[in-house]
Structure formats: structure tokens, C-alpha cells
Amino acid sequence: MDTDAARASAPRHPLAPEWLVEPADANGLVASVWSAGTTRTDDGALEVAGIAAATLAEEFGTPLYVIDEADARRRAALMREAFSRELGRIGTGVTVYYAGKAFLSTEVARWMRDEGLNLDLSSGGELAVALAAGIEPERLGLHGNNKSLAEIDRAVEVGLGTIVLDSLVEIERVAAAAERHGRVQSVRLRVNSGVHAHTHEFLATAHEDQKFGLALADCPAAVARIRSHASLRFLGLHCHIGSQIFGSAGFAESASRLLDVHAELLEGGPVPELNLGGGFGIAYTSADDPTPIDEIAAAIADAVAEQCATRGVPVPHIAIEPGRSLIGPAGLTLYEVGTVKDVVVGAAGSTSVRRYVSVDGGMSDNARPALYGADYTARIANRSSSAEPALVRVAGKHCESGDIVVHDEFLPADVQPGDLLAVAATGAYCWSLSSNYNYLGRPPVVAVRDGRARVIVRGETEDDLLRRDAGIERKAILR
Ligand SMILES: Cc1ncc(COP(=O)(O)O)c(C=O)c1O
């Protein structure tokens, strides 16, 4: 029996969750969880793209978001190549929109554009970032269930490539804006396929109880309305079935349902495209096993080809909108450990101990554990240790008992104040969901590549935080 197998069959720590196996080496980096550029040097310290974590922490402070640029770019290129290849096999092409809500800054917008991707946006603020990045407006798409009139007007005015219509009233709003600006605006119509997916399962119903989009049954009338406006050009249906999806069956089922209506819509005019949304899952822990993107692309292509053949319609151009799968694994967060505390858990007489390792950030820089119970992986970053693995809970510094960064992890038992901790796969939906709770400034974001690091979003200072407080005399804070 090898060491890992022996440990897997050894008595479990009473507080360890089922999925978490005690590792033989609590310094090890499981490749699926960390960016390709994250390694340990000969002296055991963690480095990203050739820069030691300790150097990054010294230069930029902690907490610190670190993005492995080459890894993000590689994932974007692989996504585009996989879908181009598989859809090419069935005689069509793909447009990949990077879903900026996962993480957006002008730098990252340009990386994605350089890798041949378009950009998907969900607000006027995200649109402002994309325009400031110099992304060509025709490469941008805007969606959202309640776009303001000002957001619609700006989008049409700058010549946005596509707007995803989410309700009947938006058809009229976008048509009016396009008329005002003398443009023909390309639009998609967001629909609920009735398929809702998350991780391993998908649920398929006739109607979804959610705020986004229209029911499939209402599409023909809505599309007739779109087509009645000379200022609108209908591109096709749009659907997004969920997030952190590990398999391909939900996407295939959704595509099949959409193509039913797509075929019907072709009787009234052209429907050149079909947008299947994003949601491809990533590994946050060693227990996560998402289907490789090549296989998902192949399964989607097969489903689309089969459905189009059955219905006797041409295969449309496909669009997808991945966010998390491109930027999530490329990111990690560095924290400094401040306190380590053993807590006896359970009834009187219990000997079950949980070790709380508290770090200098928390739910303000990563809301996902508190929001969704999300799990993460952590490692000591400034050194390796030969100490036995100990079950720990990594906690933040906020005034909330739910302020947990990593619920369950095995770290070397000698983890101590002053150690640096790296939390993996924090590139998506961490910075973008961050807050100033307890008046913590949002940490900077640093991109690392080829042994060099640069700030791509600067961190907030105390002055930044105080600047918006209208009750403070400016003189008092600008020393
Ligand atoms: C419409 C739409 N497209 C794309 C995405 C991106 O999803 P993910 O980051 O899971 O790929 C989302 C996420 O919520 C979404 O709502």
C-alpha cells in the first residue's frame, strides 16, 4: 500500500469532511488546483511564475491577489481552440466571450482580447472598464435583467456588438435607443431552457422560477416583436444554465431544447447564432474533478450537430461566455497568519480539536465561503515543513463567525504566526465580489509573468476609504 492509500484507510480526523483525505505531504501542490506557474523551489518555498510568494508579500503587502498571467492566457487560448476545433468538425465556428464579471480590469480585458476572445459585460461600469481598455466596441456584449436606460443608450451609442435582451420592455427600449442613434443594433434574446445546473447535477423542468430571460414558449412572439423593428437585428437565442458545472450533459440538454425553438424561429427569418452561456467548472480542491474542456466542447458540438440534423436546419454559429474557467485557477491569494488557536469541539469530554488559523483578510476579499459555503485549498507559502499534517480552519479577521476562508484543510501542524498562506483558485468572483466590510481596504491585484510582477489594480488605502465619507473635513485626512 502506498503512503497516500495508507492514509486514506487510516482513522479519519473526526472533524474532517468526507471528501478531504489527509495528505502524506501537507506541502504538496495538486496540479489541478494551482496555476501552472505555481511551484515549490528547491528550498521548499512557493513561487508563482518565477517569483517567490515571500517576495511578493514583502513588496506588495498582504492580503494580495496574485494572477499568473501566462496561465490565464493559456486557458483562454485553450478554450477558443477546443471549441473552434470541435465546432469546426460540425461545420461551424465559435465566438468566445470572456465573462468579465468573474474578474475585470483593463489589463485582463486586453489579455483576453489578445487571445482572440470577445468580452461579455453585465453593467455600465464593466462597459466603462472595457472601453477604457481600448477593446473594440463590436467585440463587446452586454446583458442583465434590468439595464438602465442610460446603460442601454451608452451601449448603443458606442456601437456595442450585441445586447442580450432580457424582457419584452427591453425590446422597445433598445429599439428606441438604436433609432435615436441611427443604428441597427444586433441583439440576442435571453431564454430559460428549463435546465438549471450546478456541479454534478442538472435539473430540467418546463419552467424556471428565476429573474433572467423569457420562457421558451414566449420566444416566437418576442422574436416577432424584435423583427418588427428595423433598428434591431436578431442574432439568436441566449441561455446560461448555471455555474461551476462539472459535466457536459446539462449543456447538451439545454442546447437541444434551445434548438427546438431556434428551428421554429428560422421559419420567420434568419437566426445566425446560438449563445450557450458559461458555467464550466474548475477544481477548488483535490476532490473536484471537472470534465476537461475538450470533452465538454466535443459533447456540445455533438449535441448541436445531432439536433440540427434531426430538425433539418443549418448548424448556427455558436457563442459561449466562460468566466471562472479562464481566470479562476490563474489566481491565488496570499495572506499572513496572525494567530493560531486550538478549539475543543463537541460535547463535554470531547477531545476533537479544531485548529483555527487566522489570517489578515477574509470575507471582504473572498465572500464565496460565507456566501455559498465554497471550499478552497490552502498551503504554507514561505516554507515547507516536515511537521505532521493537522486539520485546520482558516479564518478571516472580520467580526463575523461565518468569516471563513477555508473551511477544512490539512496544513503542517507547525503553521505559526508570521507564516504566509496561499489560497488557490481565487482568480474568479473574489476580487469582483470584494467589499470594504469592517473598513478593510480591498487588496491590490498583481499580475506575475516571467519572473516579473506588476500591480494591475492598486489596493485601497485608508485615505481611499475615508475619502468618500462626506462628514470628514478633507484637511483632517489628507495629511
Ligand atoms: C449570463 C452569464 N454568462 C456567463 C457567466 C459566466 O459564468 P462562469 O464564470 O461560471 O463561466 C455568467 C455567470 O453568472 C452569466 O450569468
Side-chain angles (χ1 to χ4, degrees):
M1 209 187 281
D2 65 26
T3 330
D4 276 339
R7 281 180 187 268
S9 61
R12 301 183 57 76
H13 189 291
L15 299 177
E18 251 329 283
W19 61 265
L20 183 63
V21 176
E22 183 177 327
D25 175 10
N27 305 291
L29 303 174
V30 173
S32 58
V33 171
W34 299 88
S35 82
T38 307
T39 52
R40 286 209 184 267
T41 55
D42 291 344
D43 67 0
L46 188 136
E47 66 171 26
V48 189
I51 312 183
T55 306
L56 291 168
E58 204 173 303
E59 190 169 342
F60 303 106
T62 54
L64 180 67
Y65 296 109
V66 181
I67 302 186
D68 182 341
E69 177 180 344
D71 188 86
R73 285 178 178 269
R74 184 183 56 90
R75 287 173 197 278
L78 285 177
M79 181 72 69
R80 188 176 45 70
E81 284 159 16
F83 275 89
S84 297
R85 186 181 60 249
E86 293 303 328
L87 291 166
R89 178 170 61 78
I90 64 162
T92 190
V94 68
T95 303
V96 182
Y97 289 81
Y98 168 62
K101 64 176 62 169
F103 177 92
L104 191 62
S105 74
T106 53
E107 274 273 335
V108 168
R110 284 190 290 265
W111 298 350
M112 296 300 170
R113 191 259 323 266
D114 293 351
E115 298 305 327
L117 273 56
N118 286 6
L119 207 55
D120 164 56
L121 309 163
S122 350
S123 71
E126 290 185 3
L127 172 58
V129 176
L131 294 176
I135 309 300
E136 303 77 358
E138 60 273 17
R139 300 183 73 140
L140 304 176
L142 177 70
H143 63 74
N145 65 305
N146 187 20
K147 306 168 196 74
S148 70
L149 294 180
E151 285 173 323
I152 290 172
D153 198 71
R154 177 99 172 110
V156 173
E157 185 187 14
V158 300
L160 226 68
T162 65
I163 296 181
V164 180
L165 302 172
D166 200 282
S167 58
L168 294 178
V169 69
E170 264 195 356
I171 299 174
E172 310 309 324
R173 288 174 182 168
V174 175
E179 269 163 44
R180 247 188 340 270
H181 291 286
R183 292 186 180 277
V184 176
Q185 178 63 54
S186 292
V187 295
R188 307 180 193 274
L189 181 64
R190 180 151 181 181
V191 294
N192 303 316
S193 62
V195 174
H196 189 81
H198 184 73
T199 314
H200 292 288
E201 285 144 22
F202 74 87
L203 205 81
T205 58
H207 304 285
E208 262 201 86
D209 185 4
Q210 63 138 309
K211 69 173 185 170
F212 290 111
L214 270 67
L216 278 173
D218 297 332
C219 284
V223 172
R225 189 71 207 147
I226 293 170
R227 285 174 169 151
S228 74
H229 289 285
S231 62
L232 299 180
R233 174 175 174 251
F234 180 60
L235 280 184
L237 301 178
H238 171 288
C239 185
H240 174 75
I241 61 170
S243 59
Q244 186 57 356
I245 301 167
F246 281 4
S248 56
F251 293 109
E253 173 65 24
S254 180
S256 160
R257 288 177 173 217
L258 292 175
L259 283 164
D260 243 345
V261 179
H262 176 101
E264 187 183 335
L265 296 176
L266 275 168
E267 290 163 19
V271 191
E273 299 196 10
L274 177 65
N275 187 327
L276 297 172
F280 313 124
I282 64 169
Y284 285 101
T285 73
S286 55
D288 289 339
D289 191 19
T291 305
I293 218 64
D294 287 346
E295 287 176 35
I296 293 192
I300 288 178
D302 288 345
V304 168
E306 189 187 321
Q307 294 306 321
C308 288
T310 305
R311 289 169 179 82
V313 297
V315 177
H317 184 83
I318 299 294
I320 54 168
E321 296 171 349
R324 180 192 320 266
S325 49
L326 305 184
I327 200 75
L332 61 80
T333 308
L334 289 177
Y335 300 97
E336 186 175 317
V337 175
T339 64
V340 178
K341 188 193 285 180
D342 284 350
V343 176
V344 179
V345 178
S350 166
T351 53
S352 298
V353 171
R354 192 188 301 285
R355 182 160 297 174
Y356 277 85
V357 174
S358 291
V359 295
D360 51 356
M363 62 194 296
S364 55
D365 60 73
N366 187 354
R368 295 188 67 257
L371 211 53
Y372 318 118
D375 288 311
Y376 280 91
T377 296
R379 286 289 175 256
I380 296 178
N382 52 312
R383 64 187 175 100
S384 287
S385 162
S386 55
E388 277 294 292
L391 185 75
V392 306
R393 177 159 287 178
V394 181
K397 63 175 284 161
H398 291 279
C399 293
E400 293 280 339
S401 48
D403 172 30
I404 302 301
V405 179
V406 184
H407 290 104
D408 302 285
E409 177 60 288
F410 283 99
L411 289 182
D414 63 354
V415 58
Q416 61 199 21
D419 272 336
L420 274 181
L421 221 58
V423 175
T426 58
Y429 302 108
C430 290
W431 182 84
S432 54
L433 282 170
S434 63
S435 76
N436 290 130
Y437 183 44
N438 293 146
Y439 271 84
L440 263 66
R442 272 173 278 233
V445 185
V446 164
V448 291
R449 186 178 184 182
D450 299 332
R452 288 210 304 274
R454 62 189 198 288
V455 174
I456 61 168
V457 183
R458 74 173 176 79
E460 285 170 324
T461 62
E462 231 168 63
D463 280 351
D464 287 329
L465 299 179
L466 294 175
R467 194 164 283 137
R468 289 187 304 145
D469 187 320
I472 299 178
E473 252 194 83
R474 301 275 301 145
K475 278 188 298 203
I477 59 165
L478 297 175
R479 291 177 289 274

